[in-house]
C-alpha cells in the first residue's frame, strides 16, 4: 500500500505542480535535488517556496459565479488561470501549448504519473482500487463542498469492536440477569453477526437478504438454517425495512452486541429456560426486553465511564486522521462535529484520539468550526429541537437561538446549522457510519452529500482477493453446467416435438435416432448432477474468509449484491473504510462514479475456455469494482 503524503507536502505538491505547468516549467525542475534516499523521498517532498506573484496567476470560482460542469457538478471552488495577470508577464496562456490538446494531455499525464510514483503518492486511480480506497456511487466534486460534517463514534473514533461491544454485551447481560433471564454460560461472540443483516422479530431469526429483499441465508437463534428451510420460511416474502415492527436492520457496529444477545436469548426461550415469572414472551417481546437491557447499559453511564477511564483499551488510534481534517480545514472547508454522544464523553475521547497527533499545541476543538453534542440524530435532520450553548468545561449550558462559528452546542437541528453557516443542501458533505441515522436521513431531508464509513471494507477487500482462485473455479463450473444444460434443454425440446410428430429445431436434431437422442440426454443429465455435487459445497463456502456463517459483506450469493450494498449505493455518494483515507487524495478531489463492469473477467475467461461458439449474456457486476480491477491486472500480468 502506498504511503500517504503529509499534510503540508500534499498541498505543496498540488500547488507547485499546477504553477509549473502553467508557467511552462518542467515538472521535475520544480522540486529540489535533496540527495535523500528513495525511501525518504516517498514520504516527504522538499519544501519549496511559491512566489506570491505566481500565486496571483490563479483565481478561485466563487459561489456567486459558479456554474455546473458537463457531469452536472458545481464548479464552485475550482481553480482558474488568471490570463490577464499572465499576459503582464508576456505569457499567452493556452497559446503556449504546442500541438493538439490530446497529445499535450497524454504527455502531461505520463509525466504527472511518473512524478507521483517517484514521490510515493498514489494516483487517484490506484488509490481507489485498494483496501483503503474511496469508492464512488455518485459523482462528487469535493472542491464545491463548503462544509464537512462528521459523526464521532465509529467515524472519527474507531473502537476495538471486541472490547467496546464486549463490554456493552456484559452490561446488557447483567441487566437481563437482574430482570430474571437465564444468562449463565453465555459469552460474547462477535463472529455470530455482521453489519447489514436483518433481525426478523416475529420469527426470532437473523437473515441476510440480497439487494431486492430476497432472503439468501438465515439463522434461528444461533443455528444456521438449511437452504430448504430458508426457502420454506421466506420463499414468498421479501424483507421490507419500512415495516419497522418486524424488521430491524443492523446498521452499525453498535448493533453487534444487541444482535448477539438477542440470538442467544432466542435459544434460551426455545429451550423453555425463561422463567414464567419474567412473563409470557414471544420473539417480539424478547427483542424489546433485550433492547431495554442494552438501553439501560448505555444511559446509566457505567459503560461510558469505564471507557472514559481507560480509553486506550477501547480506541484504535489513527495518527493520520487529525492530519486529514487539518488538510480540509486549511483548504477552506468548514468542519463540523455532529454527534449523539454527550459533551463529557465527546471531549474526553476526542482529546485522547486527536490532541497528541496535532501540530503546534493544537487541540481537537481548533479543528472544528462548530461542535454539536447530544444531537439526537436522526431527529436532528428531520425536525427542530431546542439548542443550548455549552459555556463551561464542566458542561454548564444556556439556551441559545443561533449558532456561531467556533461554538459548542447541545441539541438543535441541521436547519439551524445551515442558517448559521449560510450554506445549504449539496454544499455540505456529511460523513458517518450509520446508514440510516447519518447517511440516509441527511440526504433524504436536506439533500446533503454523504459519505459512509465502513471499516469492514478493508477485510472484505482482502478476503475477496484471497478467494479469487476458489471463485474462478466455482464460476467455471457454473458456466460449464450452463452450457451443458442449454444443450440438454434443446435435446429435451427435440424429444418433446418428436413425440408430438413435429420436426425438431434443427435438421441435425431431427436426424438423430431415438436411442442416440436418449443416450445423449442421459449422459448430459448425469454430468449436470455431478457438477451440482461439486458446486453446492463450494457455493456454501464462498465468502468464508470474511465470515464463516454469512459470507461476504457486500454479496448475497455468487452473483448478486447484498441488501447492505444496495443501501450503501442508494444513500452514500462515496464510501470508504476510514476517514483518514481522504489523506490519500486531496481536499480538491473530483470523485467520479465508475463504470459498472458488465463483464466479470473471471466469468469471461472461463466462458472462453469452454467454447468460442457461445453467445455471452450480460454478467452481473461484482460488489466492488476494485475486485474486478484486481482480477484484470492479475490476468494481464
Amino acid at each position: 500500500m502506498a504511503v500517504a503524503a503529509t499534510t503540508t507536502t500534499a498541498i505543496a505538491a498540488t500547488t507547485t505542480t499546477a504553477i509549473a505547468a502553467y508557467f511552462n516549467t518542467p515538472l521535475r525542475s520544480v522540486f529540489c535535488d535533496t540527495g535523500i534516499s528513495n525511501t525518504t523521498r516517498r514520504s516527504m517532498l522538499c519544501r519549496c517556496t511559491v512566489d506570491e506573484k505566481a500565486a496571483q496567476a490563479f483565481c478561485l470560482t466563487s459561489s456567486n459565479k459558479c456554474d455546473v460542469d458537463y457531469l452536472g457538478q458545481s464548479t464552485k471552488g475550482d481553480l482558474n488561470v488568471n490570463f490577464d495577470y499572465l499576459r503582464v508577464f508576456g505569457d499567452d496562456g493556452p497559446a503556449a501549448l504546442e500541438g493538439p490538446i490530446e497529445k499535450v494531455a497524454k504527455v502531461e499525464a505520463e509525466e504527472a504519473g511518473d512524478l507521483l510514483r517517484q514521490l510515493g503518492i498514489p494516483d487517484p486511480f490506484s488509490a481507489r482500487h485498494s483496501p483503503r480506497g474511496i469508492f464512488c456511487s455518485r459523482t462528487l466534486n469535493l472542491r464545491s463542498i463548503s462544509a464537512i460534517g462528521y459523526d464521532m463514534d465509529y467515524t472519527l473514533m474507531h473502537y476495538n469492536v471486541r472490547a467496546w461491544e464486549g463490554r456493552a454485551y456484559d452490561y446488557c447481560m447483567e441487566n437481563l440477569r437482574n430482570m430474571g433471564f437465564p444468562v449463565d454460560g453465555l459469552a460474547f461472540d462477535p463472529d455470530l453477526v455482521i453489519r447489514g443483516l436483518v433481525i426478523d422479530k416475529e420469527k426470532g431469526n437473523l437473515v441476510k437478504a440480497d439487494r431486492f429483499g430476497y432472503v439468501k441465508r438465515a439463522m434461528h437463534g444461533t443455528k444456521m438454517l438449511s437452504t430448504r428451510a430458508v426457502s420454506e420460511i421466506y420463499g414468498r416474502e421479501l424483507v421490507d425495512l419500512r415495516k419497522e415492527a418486524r424488521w430491524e436492520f443492523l446498521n452499525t457496529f453498535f448493533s453487534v452486541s444487541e444482535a448477539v444477545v438477542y440470538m442467544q436469548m432466542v435459544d434460551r426461550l426455545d429451550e423453555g429456560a425463561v422463567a414464567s415469572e419474567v412473563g409470557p414472551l414471544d420473539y417480539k417481546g424478547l427483542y424489546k426486553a433485550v433492547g431495554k437491557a442494552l438501553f439501560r447499559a448505555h444511559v446509566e453511564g457505567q459503560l461510558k465511564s469505564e471507557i472514559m477511564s481507560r480509553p486506550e483499551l477501547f480506541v484504535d488510534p489513527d495518527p493520520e486522521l487529525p492530519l486529514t481534517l487539518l488538510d480540509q480545514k486549511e483548504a477552506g472547508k468548514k468542519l463540523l462535529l455532529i454527534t449523539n454522544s454527550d459533551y463529557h464523553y465527546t471531549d474526553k475521547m476526542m482529546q485522547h484520539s486527536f490532541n497528541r497527533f496535532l501540530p503546534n499545541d493544537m487541540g481537537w476543538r481548533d479543528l472544528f468550526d462548530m461542535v454539536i453534542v447530544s444531537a439526537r440524530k436522526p431527529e436532528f435532520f428531520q425536525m427542530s429541537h431546542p439548542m443550548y450553548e455549552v459555556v463551561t468545561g464542566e458542561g454548564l449550558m444556556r439556551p441559545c437561538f443561533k449558532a456561531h462559528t467556533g461554538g459548542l452546542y447541545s441539541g438543535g437541528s441541521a436547519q439551524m446549522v445551515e442558517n448559521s453557516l449560510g450554506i445549504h443542501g449539496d454544499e455540505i458533505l456529511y460523513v458517518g457510519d450509520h446508514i440510516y441515522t447519518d447517511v440516509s436521513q441527511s440526504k433524504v431531508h436536506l439533500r446533503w452529500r454523504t459519505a459512509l464509513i465502513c471499516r469492514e471494507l478493508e477485510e472484505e477487500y482482502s478476503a475477496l482477493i484471497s478467494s479469487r482462485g476458489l471463485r474462478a473455479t466455482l464460476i467455471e463450473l457454473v458456466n460449464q453446467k450452463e452450457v451443458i444444460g442449454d444443450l440438454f434443454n434443446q435435446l429435451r425440446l427435440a424429444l418433446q416435438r418428436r413425440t408430438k410428430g413435429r420436426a425438431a429445431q434443427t435438421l441435425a436434431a431431427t436426424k438423430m435416432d431415438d436411442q442416440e437422442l436418449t443416450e445423449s440426454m442421459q449422459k448430459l443429465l448425469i454430468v449436470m448432477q455431478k457438477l451440482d455435487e461439486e458446486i453446492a459445497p463450494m457455493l456454501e463456502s464462498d465468502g468464508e474468509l470474511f465470515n464463516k456463517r454469512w459470507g461476504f459483506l457486500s454479496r448475497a450469493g455468487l452473483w448478486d449484491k447484498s441488501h447492505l450494498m444496495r443501501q450503501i449505493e442508494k444513500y452514500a455518494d462515496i464510501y470508504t473504510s476510514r476517514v483518514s483515507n481522504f489523506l490519500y487524495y486531496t481536499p480538491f478531489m473530483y470523485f467520479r462514479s465508475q463504470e459498472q463492469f458488465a463483464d466479470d473477467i473471471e466469468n469471461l475467461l472461463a466462458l472462453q475456455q469452454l467454447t468460442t461458439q457461445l453467445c455471452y449474456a450480460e454478467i452481473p457486476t461484482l460488489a466492488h469494482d476494485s475486485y474486478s480491477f484486481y482480477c484484470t491486472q492479475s490476468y494481464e500480468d
Side-chain angles (χ1 to χ4, degrees):
M1 187 181 301
V3 180
T6 61
T7 304
T8 305
T9 55
I11 295 174
T14 304
T15 306
T16 313
T17 302
I19 291 174
Y22 282 116
F23 280 88
N24 301 315
T25 305
L27 284 169
R28 287 182 176 79
S29 68
V30 174
F31 299 95
C32 305
D33 183 7
T34 59
I36 58 177
S37 66
N38 289 333
T39 302
T40 306
R41 189 180 298 274
R42 288 182 176 275
S43 61
M44 64 174 290
L45 304 175
C46 55
R47 307 299 176 86
C48 302
T49 302
V50 180
D51 188 271
E52 291 183 4
K53 291 183 179 180
Q56 294 178 30
F58 302 96
C59 58
L60 207 62
T61 304
S62 61
S63 57
N64 60 344
K65 293 185 178 181
C66 67
D67 200 348
V68 292
D69 62 18
Y70 54 86
L71 293 179
Q73 299 299 301
S74 171
T75 59
K76 177 177 168 246
D78 284 358
L79 201 64
N80 303 295
V81 177
N82 188 342
F83 293 117
D84 291 337
Y85 189 85
L86 289 179
R87 292 188 184 100
V88 173
F89 295 93
D91 195 326
D92 56 359
L97 299 176
E98 298 180 0
I101 185 60
E102 292 83 0
K103 293 184 178 180
V104 174
K106 183 178 181 181
V107 172
E108 291 294 328
E110 290 175 353
E111 288 191 5
D114 291 341
L115 184 57
L116 287 170
R117 284 188 290 272
Q118 179 183 349
L119 297 171
I121 302 173
D123 64 84
F125 185 76
S126 61
R128 183 169 63 244
H129 297 290
S130 75
R132 293 189 58 180
I134 297 179
F135 304 95
C136 183
S137 301
R138 274 171 294 282
T139 298
L140 171 65
N141 181 4
L142 206 56
R143 299 187 291 270
S144 69
I145 297 297
S146 299
I148 305 177
Y150 287 101
D151 175 46
M152 185 181 75
D153 298 306
Y154 284 120
T155 300
L156 292 180
M157 194 84 51
H158 184 70
Y159 299 107
N160 181 310
V161 177
R162 290 184 178 271
W164 208 107
E165 297 303 319
R167 291 304 290 148
Y169 172 94
D170 294 338
Y171 280 106
C172 180
M173 282 301 197
E174 187 60 32
N175 288 334
L176 286 173
R177 185 195 306 277
N178 295 336
M179 294 164 63
F181 285 90
V183 299
D184 291 338
L186 297 177
F188 180 57
D189 180 8
D191 296 326
L192 199 62
V193 303
I194 61 174
R195 190 204 299 238
L197 301 180
V198 186
I199 295 177
D200 181 351
K201 292 180 280 190
E202 284 187 2
K203 300 183 183 297
N205 293 341
L206 189 62
V207 306
K208 182 177 185 180
D210 66 14
R211 55 179 166 163
F212 302 111
Y214 291 98
V215 175
K216 295 299 184 180
R217 299 191 187 190
M219 180 173 74
H220 181 75
T222 59
K223 301 175 183 64
M224 295 299 295
L225 299 178
S226 66
T227 303
R228 180 173 180 177
V230 171
S231 178
E232 291 175 350
I233 297 172
Y234 295 107
R236 295 189 176 185
E237 58 184 333
L238 301 177
V239 171
D240 186 351
L241 298 180
R242 294 171 297 180
K243 298 179 179 179
E244 298 179 3
R246 179 175 181 182
W247 306 104
E248 186 69 27
F249 191 61
L250 305 188
N251 281 288
T252 174
F253 275 131
F254 281 132
S255 305
V256 171
S257 53
E258 179 183 34
V260 172
V261 172
Y262 178 64
M263 302 317 293
Q264 290 177 340
M265 295 311 300
V266 166
D267 284 344
R268 293 293 166 96
L269 183 63
D270 290 344
E271 294 164 1
V274 178
S276 58
E277 291 77 10
V278 176
L281 285 177
D282 57 9
Y283 296 124
K284 266 190 180 180
L286 180 62
Y287 180 80
K288 290 180 181 178
V290 170
K292 181 180 179 181
L294 188 61
F295 180 75
R296 287 181 57 190
H298 285 281
V299 300
E300 289 178 351
Q302 291 177 301
L303 174 60
K304 286 193 173 181
S305 295
E306 180 179 341
I307 294 170
M308 289 168 64
S309 65
R310 303 187 68 183
E312 67 279 1
L313 299 180
F314 298 94
V315 177
D316 292 334
D318 188 346
E320 294 179 330
L321 179 53
L323 299 179
T324 304
L325 269 60
L326 191 59
D327 263 355
Q328 295 172 351
K329 185 176 183 65
E330 291 175 346
K333 312 295 184 188
K334 295 183 183 295
L335 300 186
L336 319 172
L337 176 59
I338 304 172
T339 175
N340 282 355
S341 294
D342 62 70
Y343 165 71
H344 293 291
Y345 183 80
T346 300
D347 184 52
K348 177 68 175 180
M349 303 308 290
M350 291 294 288
Q351 283 190 42
H352 171 78
S353 298
F354 274 70
N355 287 7
R356 53 184 162 155
F357 301 121
L358 287 169
N360 305 323
D361 297 322
M362 286 182 67
W364 72 270
R365 285 283 307 279
D366 298 320
L367 285 172
F368 295 96
D369 294 85
M370 190 178 297
V371 175
I372 299 176
V373 298
S374 303
R376 298 177 65 179
K377 297 177 294 181
E379 293 181 4
F380 180 84
F381 299 115
Q382 301 167 344
M383 60 188 72
S384 181
H385 286 292
M387 177 180 283
Y388 300 88
E389 183 180 9
V390 181
V391 293
T392 69
E394 291 72 33
L396 184 65
M397 297 184 291
R398 64 186 177 195
C400 69
F401 301 97
K402 186 176 181 180
H404 300 280
T405 300
L408 171 61
Y409 303 96
S410 175
S413 68
Q415 190 172 7
M416 290 182 180
V417 172
E418 288 186 334
N419 294 337
S420 299
L421 298 176
I423 52 181
H424 305 273
D426 60 5
E427 294 180 279
I428 303 175
L429 171 68
Y430 191 69
V431 186
D433 71 295
H434 197 292
I435 294 177
Y436 178 75
T437 297
D438 294 323
V439 175
S440 164
Q441 295 306 289
S442 60
K443 175 167 290 295
V444 169
H445 291 280
L446 300 160
R447 291 296 184 264
W448 286 8
R449 304 308 300 268
T450 53
L452 182 80
I453 301 301
C454 183
R455 181 61 72 98
E456 305 98 303
L457 287 176
E458 294 178 20
E459 185 180 350
E460 170 98 346
Y461 181 95
S462 299
L464 281 167
I465 299 305
S466 299
S467 64
R468 65 188 183 276
L470 173 66
R471 290 181 61 79
T473 301
L474 177 57
I475 290 171
E476 182 177 2
L477 292 176
V478 170
N479 287 330
Q480 287 173 351
K481 184 188 175 184
E482 185 173 340
V483 173
I484 294 170
D486 187 49
L487 176 58
F488 176 83
N489 293 335
Q490 294 293 336
L491 295 179
R492 184 178 180 181
L493 179 59
L495 181 62
Q496 174 183 300
R497 290 186 177 185
R498 180 171 297 185
T499 59
K500 300 298 181 181
R502 298 169 52 217
Q505 307 92 295
T506 65
L507 181 61
T510 303
K511 289 182 177 181
M512 293 179 68
D513 60 43
D514 292 348
Q515 182 177 355
E516 182 183 6
L517 183 60
T518 303
E519 289 178 352
S520 296
M521 291 178 61
Q522 289 174 340
K523 181 179 179 181
L524 293 175
L525 192 57
I526 292 172
V527 171
M528 287 192 292
Q529 291 171 345
K530 294 294 183 182
L531 280 173
D532 283 343
E533 294 174 4
E534 285 285 319
I535 291 171
M538 293 178 67
L539 194 59
E540 187 70 24
S541 64
D542 183 44
E544 279 188 351
L545 289 178
F546 183 79
N547 185 277
K548 291 186 179 297
R549 291 173 178 263
W550 302 106
F552 292 116
L553 192 78
S554 62
R555 296 183 171 285
L558 182 62
W559 305 118
D560 210 355
K561 297 178 182 179
S562 65
H563 210 57
L564 171 69
M565 202 64 209
R566 170 60 181 145
Q567 296 293 308
I568 292 175
E569 292 181 338
K570 183 176 181 180
Y571 295 114
D573 296 323
I574 55 177
Y575 56 99
T576 189
S577 62
R578 59 180 84 189
V579 172
S580 59
N581 292 345
F582 281 96
L583 195 62
Y584 287 68
Y585 302 80
T586 71
F588 321 109
M589 182 66 187
Y590 195 118
F591 293 102
R592 291 176 176 84
S593 59
Q594 297 303 298
E595 176 186 2
Q596 296 294 305
F597 295 106
D599 296 325
D600 177 357
I601 188 68
E602 294 171 321
N603 293 10
L604 186 58
L605 290 177
L607 286 171
Q608 287 173 339
Q609 292 170 0
L610 286 175
T611 175
T612 59
Q613 299 176 352
L614 294 177
C615 295
Y616 300 117
E618 182 176 332
I619 299 170
T621 63
L622 288 166
H624 293 304
D625 288 343
S626 56
Y627 180 65
S628 294
F629 168 82
Y630 185 91
C631 293
T632 304
Q633 296 299 105
S634 299
Y635 286 119
E636 286 179 353
D637 293 341

